[in-house]
Amino acid sequence: MFPELNNLLNTTPDRAEQGVNLTMARERGQLVFLEGLKSAVDIFFQAQEKPHPLQFLREANAGNLKPLFEFVREALKPVDSGEAGWTYPVLLVDDLSVLLSLGLGAVAVLDFIHYCRATVCWELKGNVVVLVHDSGDVEDEENDILLNGLSHQSHLILRAEGLATGFCRDVHGQLRILWRRPSQSTSQRDQSLTYQYKIQDRSVSFFAKGMSPAVL
């Protein structure tokens, strides 16, 4: 979770991704990070003195994400009673589809996101950014429910996908952007854009369809 993402985007230190140095942000107390893989191992091999965010992994009927939500809510509280709370925090979830793979149902995952949005977006005026994988041609009812549920809740949807024509050396895929503005009139509420992209060594290049530098 980033309390001040705009300030972080202006930094360009080593080992930064798109201008955001996660290590430095964590050292400054600007980032609270839950390492899912390591935490999952700890759940099974280490005694827990208090409820763990991933406690559901040890439960017979997986579905209780309350400890994970409590972790999110506690992370947003000031460390000291005299400190001001985070301003416009950002909750990043990478990636939500993993919860389905761990045995959770789509409804339980959507409930978790609903409570996170209530806290982060409505109470603290922040944002929730979620990554979800599309199962593509494979039928996956739970994943479809999750995708549709999140799509209805989202104001901005970024969908990265491959080219319908197959592999291309100069264009690796396309990014479809759907921006929903509920406050606008029906005719102007949804705005859709499509860009193509190419993945570089340390960056990604975006351009309009048919405007690849290789073509021009």
Side-chain angles (χ1 to χ4, degrees), residues 137-153:
D137 297 332
V138 180
E139 292 187 7
D140 189 335
E141 183 178 356
E142 289 294 299
N143 196 69
D144 290 342
I145 293 174
L146 180 61
L147 280 171
N148 292 332
L150 289 174
S151 296
H152 286 299
Q153 299 178 27

Side-chain angles (χ1 to χ4, degrees), residues 105-122:
V107 174
V109 177
L110 287 172
D111 285 344
F112 165 69
I113 289 297
H114 172 76
Y115 283 105
C116 288
R117 291 180 67 239
T119 300
V120 177
C121 300
W122 299 334

